[in-house]
């Protein structure tokens, strides 16, 4: 897909240049994830301690990813789509490796393959979607 820079008028008037739609929903879910993790750690740390260390790493990683995604989105950091995509795929790949190494069986494998499919869909949206490109990178597809 070919892209062109947005004009100052387009940046001010185009709805795609504002946080909204699916991008807003991802930001809301990432924020809620952070809040739930912090509340959980505050009120029920024993439940966090009860999960295996490898899963604790996955939980901390996805929480850090979520916090970084929310902050980078608020700051409109241009590289957010790329870094967010790398982070979410790394998280799923880590979980797949833990699952294989731990011998957790095919049911978890199916779950993780579904998560990988969703992560790749997220990557595609962040790379080629109009709203992420207009919001973070201030560009639109050429007509």
């Amino acid at each position: 897909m070919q892209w062109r820079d947005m004009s100052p008028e387009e940046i001010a008037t185009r709805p795609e240049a504002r946080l909204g739609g699916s991008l807003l929903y991802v930001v809301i879910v990432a924020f809620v994830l952070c809040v739930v993790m912090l509340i959980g750690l505050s009120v029920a740390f024993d439940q966090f301690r009860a999960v295996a260390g490898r899963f604790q790493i996955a939980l901390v990683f996805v929480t850090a990813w979520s916090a970084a995604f929310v902050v980078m989105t608020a700051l409109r950091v241009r590289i957010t789509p790329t870094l967010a995509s790398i982070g979410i795929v790394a998280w799923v790949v880590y979980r797949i490796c833990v699952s294989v190494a731990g011998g957790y069986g095919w049911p978890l494998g199916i779950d993780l393959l579904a998560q990988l499919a969703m992560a790749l869909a997220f990557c595609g949206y962040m790379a080629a979607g109009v709203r992420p490109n207009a919001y973070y990178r201030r560009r639109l597809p050429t007509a």
Side-chain angles (χ1 to χ4, degrees):
M1 182 177 299
Q2 299 292 324
W3 299 94
R4 66 171 179 80
D5 290 338
M6 295 172 68
S7 69
E9 181 181 321
E10 287 174 319
I11 291 171
T13 60
R14 295 287 299 254
E16 296 92 349
R18 288 185 227 102
L19 185 58
S22 295
L23 183 59
L24 175 61
Y25 301 145
V26 174
V27 171
I28 290 169
V29 170
F31 180 79
V32 169
L33 186 151
C34 290
V35 169
V36 170
M37 179 71 163
L38 292 174
I39 291 171
L41 290 173
S42 299
V43 250
F45 188 75
D46 57 321
Q47 290 179 22
F48 178 74
R49 238 181 308 143
V51 299
R54 291 182 228 154
F55 290 107
Q56 290 174 340
I57 292 168
L59 290 169
V60 170
F61 182 90
V62 78
T63 303
W65 176 90
S66 296
F69 180 71
V70 169
V71 170
M72 290 174 75
T73 297
L75 297 174
R76 285 192 138 130
V77 178
R78 270 180 89 85
I79 199 164
T80 301
T82 303
L83 293 180
S85 295
I86 291 168
I88 202 72
V89 169
W91 175 69
V92 174
V93 168
Y94 170 79
R95 294 193 65 232
I96 289 170
C97 292
V98 167
S99 175
V100 169
Y104 294 108
W106 69 267
L108 185 56
I110 296 297
D111 174 58
L112 292 171
L113 286 175
Q115 288 183 27
L116 183 60
M118 289 183 272
L120 294 174
F122 173 82
C123 294
Y125 171 68
M126 293 300 276
V130 172
R131 187 170 304 266
N133 277 283
Y135 181 80
Y136 295 110
R137 296 180 178 132
R138 302 298 196 190
R139 63 185 187 181
L140 292 171
T142 56

